[in-house]
Every structure is written in C-alpha cells, then in structure tokens.
Amino acid sequence: MDKNLTLENEISQVVDQLPPYEQFKFNSNFLRGTILDGLKRADTGAVPGQDPLLMKFHGIYQQDNRDIRSNRAERKLEPAYQFMVRLRIPGGFLTAKQWLGLDKISRKFSERGLRITTRQTIQFHGIRKKNLQPFMRAIRDIGLDTIAACGDDSRGVVCGSNPELSHVHHQVFNLAKETSKRLIPKTGAYSEVWYGEKSISNLANSNEDPVYTKLYLPRKFKVGFVIPPSNDIDVYGQDVGFIAIVKNKKLLGFNLCVGGGMGKIYSRSDSYPRLAEQIGFIKAAEASAVAEIIMTIQRDYGSREDRHQARFKYTLDRLGNKWFLEILAKRRGKALEPAKPFEFTHNSDPTGWQQGDDGRWHGTLQIESGRIDGALQDKLAGFFQQFDGDIRLTPNQNLQLVNVNAYSLAQTKWRLDDIGLSEHLAHQSQAAHTMSCVALPTCGLAMAEAERYLPNFKVLFDSLKSAHGLYDEPITLRITGCPNGCARPYLAEIALTGRALGLYNLYLGGSYIGNRLAKLYASNVNEHRIVEILNRLFGKYANERRLDEKFGDFLVRNELLDQQKP
Ligand code: SRM
Ligand code: SF4
C-alpha cells in the first residue's frame, strides 16, 4: 500500500483496506461521530459504541471506577462509568484566577480534586456523563480548553523552565504556545459538541482539518521545549524535542531531537522505550513550522496497520535516520545545521526560590504525584485568592509560583507559612525527584498501584537511604502501574513498573539528567525483594561512590546492572 496518504482522494482509495480503527476515524465526520446522541442517552452512564475513541481527541476518556467494578458486576449493574478530562495547557501556564476557576469546577463536577500530570496539565477524574457539557463550558469560561489533550494528534506541548533566565523562558514559552496552536486539529466538532455552536464548516466534502486530513495521525504525537541546564521535560522521551541553545542570555535557536518514547508492552519483543536522537540545529523562529513538518511526515509514513508500531519512534527505526533527514530536508527546503553544544545537569524541578533576570521570583511547591485534593486543595485555594503572581505546572507534577515581584516575596513566603504550605516548598529533598502515575482506580490499563502506593513506598525508600547516610542525596524514583511509562520510568535512576497487584519490574541505572535508559534488573518482584535489592546497592553506593557521583552513574560504572539478577 502506498504510505503517502497526504491527498484526500488517495486516502479514500485505500481506506477500505485499513483496520477498523482507522476507518472509524476517517468516517467520523472530523471527530463528530455520534457523540451528541450518546450524551443524550439516559439508560447508561457510558457513551456507547466507538464514540469514546473519538472523545479522546476532545480530551476526554471514558473510564470506570475499578475499585467497585467486581462488586457492581456481582450486583448485575453496569460498571460505574465516569469520565477523565485532561486540559490542554501549553507550557503549563495558568493565572491565579484560572486556578480559582478550576478549583470551583472540580468541587462542582469531579472527584479527587485536581491532578497535575507529567505533561504539565490538569486532569479531572470522576465526571458523570450528564455533567460533561456543563463542565466543558465552565472550562471554556475561564479561557481554557481540552482540545487534543488525548487522541491520535499532537498532545499538549510541554515547555521546561529555567527561572533564572526569565527572558529566554518567556521566548521559548511563546514558541511552545505557537507550536501548540499550530498543531491542534482545526475541526469545528469540538465547539459544536461541547459548546453547542453550529459550525458552518460542517458541510459535505469540506476539509476541516487540512493538515491532519480525515485520518488524523496514526498515534499520539508529543512535542516539548526545554531550556538547559534543566531537562525537566525529559526531552529524550518526546517524539520531537527542542533544546534551547542560549548564549549570553540570548536564544540562538534549538537543537532538534526526534523519536523518543516510553511506551512498551510486556508481551511483545518489538515494543520498547527509545531515547530521542539529536539530529541538528534550527533557528528559533522555525520551531513551529519544523514541528508541523515532522508531524506530517509521521502522518504520512507512520504505520496504520499495527497501532502498537505506530508511534514515530518505530517509524524512524523502520525507515532509518538517513531516510528521515532526507525527507525532512526535502519538505523543509534545506538541511539542518549541525547541533550546538549545551549541558544538562538534572531532570527534576528547581528547589527553593530563584530570582529571574527580570528581578521577579519563582518557587516550586512539591505536590506528591500531582494530586491536589482535601486539605491541600483548600489551602491552595485560600492562598491563590491573594497571590500576586502566576502559576506554572511542571512536567514533574509540581506547581511553581512564578513571576512574584520582589516587593511581594516576603509577604508570599509569610502567607505560605501561615496557610501551612511552606512544607511543600521544594528544598534539596527526595520528593523533588519522585513521580508516580495515576494507575488505580481510574486507569483502565493499570496492573498495579502507583499513586496510591507511593506514600508507603517512600517511607521505606527514605529510611533505606537514611540507613546508608544517603538521606540528602537525591535519586530519581518513578513508579508506574504498568509498562506504558506515563511517569517516564525508563528515564529514572530507579523505577518500578507494575506487573500485577503488589508486583513490579525493577529498572535501574537511568541517568540523573534523563539521557540514558534504565535497564530491567528484576522482574515480578514484591516490596520485600525490592527493598532487599536497594538495601544492598545503596550500601555499595554509600561506601564506594566517587565524589558527587550519582546513583545511576555509579551502577553503570561498576557494571552492577547485569549482576545478581534474582
Ligand atoms: Fe499516559 C495511556 C495517564 C503521560 C504513555 N496515560 C494513558 C491513560 C489515558 C490510560 C488509557 O489509555 O486508558 C492514562 C489515564 C489514567 C488516568 O486515570 O488518569 C494515562 N499519561 C497519563 C498521565 C495522567 C500520568 C500522570 O500520572 O501524570 C500523563 C498525562 C500527560 C498529559 O498531560 O498529556 C501521562 N503517558 C504519559 C507519558 C509521559 C510523557 O508524555 O511525557 C507517556 C510516555 C511517553 C510516550 O508517550 O511514549 C505516556 N499513556 C502512555 C501510553 C503508552 C503509549 C505508547 O507509545 O505505547 C498509554 C497507552 C496507550 O496510548 O495505548 C497511555
Ligand atoms: Fe495507567 Fe500505565 Fe499510564 Fe500508569 S503508566 S497511568 S497504569 S497507562
């Protein structure tokens, strides 16, 4: 089959030969399907048929509460259907007023408060079908949306921070926003379904999404911008990554990285996490255009036959870097310039307060697993009522207080203290280097606990570190409930990925700066065994490490990763 599906008529000729999922997208009338009919049905809490697949493109996942799944099945009730909605917040930037709006919306429509994700946005869980439209309108009313937060499209564009380089950060952030805007689907389906706005483009034969076409992408596509020395977005885990090259506090352009991805499944040997490769340098102004060119190359050449092989990383491995550089040069009109030197020092968030080059202050609040509910939600709502600054969600699931004027800093600190939020201010502690994904009870793919397990595991982890005199030594730790890699575990120094309830695969040896993949060290191990292994390795690390040597680097240098597998 000719893979170049760019033209509408070419697509029409081959669509019958494509798998059902692709045909469904093609025939969905630019992502409308029958979602509106499904929303009206009162006999079920679900949206029936294939429409939940289309709703992902609108930022909505149909889920059910897995904690009560079997109980409901025994009682012959349908699963407790509910919806997770993910916002699209490029670069994770919010005003305090928007936060207060989100807080109010969560109290009215969702369960478990607000959840900061590993891609700098907010998810709401537990929304009922009847509330979906009012929810989406309430989100619109505070200037936000959920377009393409999920689905086979370009997901929320992430943008790292470097608080000390405010001017450069502002430039890079604007380019991330521009890229996000350029890459979102243009169909009128979103405003039609959720806001009830009739779009004039809903006419037969119209081409509402000329870049995406009726087939959209073969799979999700992720773009990120990062500002060294921080690799907080994990640029090597992105489909397309832009590394800011800065000289004398001026943005020169970006080194371009392609083909990163974390997802894998245990049952297939042709499934693997992959580091993005650095392929050259581009001028800053070109970033969004280059992102679109790469996205359309993936649109045209990504596998449409096998969804698991459809990510861009597999397209690159199948067709090769040489092929990719040639087609990129052809579509862009010129070859890339050679990449420029830069250095990463960490992939975590900054700690404490930093002053930017514009004189304003930025501080990071650590939020365990990004979950904000109960007393923490109340405290933050109280705090933001009088906050003289803005908010940035981080790709490490934390919340930064940004753009605080120098004259307000003392008062901000005092209020944090007064409201009981000071303990969340990141200092050089383990919490700033730890992430876990949502997993149970909402994630349909979870095999083990992650977010709900982290608090217990952290107690053990911290005491192990203390026992070896390593309490103040940050080590990146990430836990996921399955191998899909939503908390980017394969880029951590230590990672647990769920196999079954209480059992995990243990990965070790990623780097502290997020540029080396961790290796599988032990499969299907329980907490007892994990603690035993870490205890032994922490002991060696504490006694034999070089000055300032990081845990992952120590394991690699001493070739400890292939030894003593159980
Ligand atoms: Fe993810 C699927 C949660 C970041 C790789 N991810 C899911 C779903 C939607 C489960 C599903 O398909 O039914 C999870 C919803 C759980 C829930 O109840 O909320 C889910 N992913 C998340 C979040 C919320 C994790 C978190 O704890 O913060 C992150 C939301 C990001 C966002 O705001 O857009 C999240 N997911 C990631 C990342 C990290 C990243 O992008 O930096 C990855 C690895 C990078 C990558 O894409 O390769 C990631 N999620 C996946 C995959 C594996 C994709 C693959 O290539 O195989 C799946 C499963 C799939 O797509 O089939 C998945
Ligand atoms: Fe769900 Fe697995 Fe992602 Fe965790 S890593 S949120 S369990 S898909």
Side-chain angles (χ1 to χ4, degrees):
M1 190 183 76
D2 179 5
K3 296 270 183 217
N4 195 333
L5 301 177
T6 17
L7 298 171
E8 200 65 37
N9 58 355
E10 282 182 40
I11 299 170
S12 309
Q13 281 163 26
V14 296
V15 79
D16 292 348
Q17 298 157 36
L18 292 174
Y21 195 97
E22 293 297 318
Q23 293 189 32
F24 178 62
K25 281 190 274 182
F26 184 83
N27 293 319
S28 72
N29 189 12
F30 293 101
L31 307 180
R32 289 176 179 81
T34 52
I35 299 174
L36 271 173
D37 297 336
L39 290 176
K40 284 183 206 138
R41 271 183 58 174
D43 58 328
T44 167
V47 171
Q50 300 272 54
D51 288 328
L53 299 177
L54 286 185
M55 284 167 66
K56 294 184 185 179
F57 291 77
H58 301 231
I60 302 171
Y61 272 82
Q62 181 166 297
Q63 302 182 320
D64 74 287
N65 183 343
R66 293 179 60 185
D67 282 348
I68 54 171
R69 194 185 271 179
S70 53
N71 175 281
R72 287 184 66 91
E74 274 166 30
R75 292 158 61 212
K76 309 286 178 235
L77 294 169
E78 74 170 14
Y81 288 118
Q82 48 179 264
F83 296 83
M84 176 270 274
V85 185
R86 187 181 287 163
L87 304 190
R88 182 178 180 100
I89 310 179
F93 182 87
L94 289 172
T95 62
K97 198 169 162 208
Q98 280 173 325
W99 182 272
L100 293 173
L102 293 175
D103 177 77
K104 214 164 137 192
I105 290 168
S106 95
R107 290 170 199 270
K108 188 163 178 194
F109 296 111
S110 73
E111 290 168 5
R112 302 178 73 207
L114 306 104
R115 174 62 159 65
I116 304 174
T117 74
T118 54
R119 292 190 72 77
Q120 276 185 312
T121 188
I122 297 280
Q123 278 188 186
F124 294 86
H125 291 101
I127 301 167
R128 306 295 149 169
K129 186 169 84 171
K130 70 177 172 51
N131 288 330
L132 272 175
Q133 278 173 323
F135 173 92
M136 299 292 266
R137 288 172 194 184
I139 293 291
R140 173 199 57 187
D141 293 345
I142 56 171
L144 295 170
D145 63 60
T146 69
I147 300 168
C150 319
D152 296 344
D153 43 31
S154 165
R155 302 293 185 87
V157 174
V158 288
C159 176
S161 92
N162 182 340
E164 281 148 36
L165 281 174
S166 319
H167 288 298
V168 170
H169 182 258
H170 197 65
Q171 268 178 292
V172 176
F173 168 66
N174 280 335
L175 289 166
K177 269 202 310 189
E178 178 189 309
T179 307
S180 167
K181 196 168 172 205
R182 184 166 187 154
L183 299 188
I184 56 173
K186 305 293 183 282
T187 169
Y190 186 85
S191 49
E192 219 172 286
V193 171
W194 304 111
Y195 310 152
E197 289 167 7
K198 199 70 194 158
S199 113
I200 47 158
S201 51
N202 184 16
L203 300 169
N205 300 323
S206 73
N207 191 358
E208 288 181 56
D209 255 329
V211 172
Y212 278 99
T213 76
K214 286 182 177 178
L215 275 178
Y216 292 85
L217 299 184
R219 205 65 166 82
K220 58 178 82 165
F221 189 77
K222 298 180 173 179
V223 178
F225 290 74
V226 73
I227 309 165
S230 171
N231 182 19
D232 52 358
I233 71 160
D234 280 323
V235 70
Y236 301 109
Q238 311 288 325
D239 289 282
V240 180
F242 294 96
I243 303 174
I245 301 300
V246 181
K247 201 168 173 194
N248 300 329
K249 296 195 170 186
K250 289 210 161 48
L251 178 66
L252 300 183
F254 297 98
N255 281 0
L256 185 60
C257 293
V258 291
M262 296 283 97
K264 72 175 244 135
I265 45 179
Y266 292 132
S267 55
R268 282 180 61 161
S269 57
D270 61 350
S271 153
Y272 46 84
R274 184 186 193 275
L275 290 178
E277 291 164 82
Q278 184 167 279
I279 55 167
F281 171 87
I282 58 157
K283 299 260 178 329
E286 265 193 280
S288 71
V290 167
E292 184 179 291
I293 293 170
I294 299 175
M295 186 180 89
T296 50
I297 293 173
Q298 161 65 358
R299 175 200 65 193
D300 298 343
Y301 292 92
S303 170
R304 301 267 175 184
E305 284 85 22
D306 178 353
R307 270 186 80 66
H308 191 72
Q309 284 288 304
R311 290 295 296 269
F312 182 44
K313 60 183 177 183
Y314 298 122
T315 314
L316 281 178
D317 280 347
R318 182 164 41 87
L319 297 168
N321 270 8
K322 186 169 171 288
W323 165 85
F324 177 70
L325 288 172
E326 277 168 16
I327 190 165
L328 177 63
K330 194 168 161 211
R331 292 194 181 187
R332 179 172 167 248
K334 57 186 168 186
L336 297 168
E337 290 174 46
K340 298 198 187 302
F342 69 93
E343 192 191 12
F344 284 136
T345 55
H346 58 277
N347 66 350
S348 55
D349 287 335
T351 52
W353 285 95
Q354 276 84 35
Q355 189 169 30
D357 55 12
D358 61 358
R360 294 192 289 180
W361 287 86
H362 315 270
T364 307
L365 299 184
Q366 285 164 12
I367 311 290
E368 193 168 79
S369 297
R371 177 71 64 187
I372 297 174
D373 58 358
L376 178 59
Q377 183 172 0
D378 294 343
K379 286 177 188 177
L380 282 170
F383 176 76
F384 285 127
Q385 259 151 26
Q386 288 178 36
F387 177 54
D388 174 22
D390 299 305
I391 296 162
R392 253 180 40 83
L393 310 168
T394 81
N396 281 295
Q397 303 172 317
N398 292 316
L399 189 153
Q400 284 177 342
L401 307 174
V402 299
N403 303 334
V404 178
N405 287 313
Y407 60 79
S408 307
L409 182 65
Q411 200 205 355
T412 303
K413 286 183 180 172
W414 172 79
R415 287 203 68 238
L416 284 172
D417 212 26
D418 201 38
I419 288 185
L421 285 168
S422 296
E423 69 195 59
H424 290 272
L425 255 184
H427 297 291
Q428 194 60 21
S429 76
Q430 184 59 47
H433 302 264
T434 306
M435 286 203 286
S436 75
C437 74
V438 178
L440 294 165
T442 50
C443 178
L445 306 176
M447 301 171 182
E449 297 280 359
E451 181 183 323
R452 295 195 297 195
Y453 176 51
L454 180 65
N456 292 342
F457 186 73
K458 271 225 20 250
V459 172
L460 293 172
F461 191 80
D462 286 346
S463 68
L464 265 183
K465 281 176 70 188
S466 295
H468 293 286
L470 296 170
Y471 188 77
D472 290 328
E473 182 66 40
I475 298 175
T476 43
L477 166 70
R478 295 174 179 179
I479 304 181
T480 59
C482 85
N484 278 315
C486 297
R488 300 185 290 272
Y490 312 109
L491 290 169
E493 295 178 284
I494 301 176
L496 312 183
T497 65
R499 293 287 315 227
L501 281 181
L503 294 178
Y504 295 87
N505 278 2
L506 174 63
Y507 284 82
L508 297 174
S511 68
Y512 187 74
I513 60 174
N515 67 349
R516 181 177 63 227
L517 288 177
K519 276 190 171 178
L520 177 63
Y521 188 83
S523 296
N524 261 313
V525 279
N526 63 16
E527 180 177 285
H528 179 75
R529 184 75 186 119
I530 293 165
V531 167
E532 219 171 61
I533 293 169
L534 293 183
N535 189 30
R536 179 167 46 78
L537 293 174
F538 282 176
K540 278 180 104 46
Y541 175 55
N543 292 322
E544 299 168 27
R545 69 178 162 154
R546 292 178 177 159
L547 187 69
D548 292 334
E549 188 171 32
K550 295 294 173 191
F551 181 62
D553 297 342
F554 170 80
L555 297 177
V556 172
R557 178 175 64 81
N558 289 287
E559 298 177 8
L560 293 173
L561 293 174
D562 295 321
Q563 289 176 17
Q564 299 175 51
K565 278 191 194 167

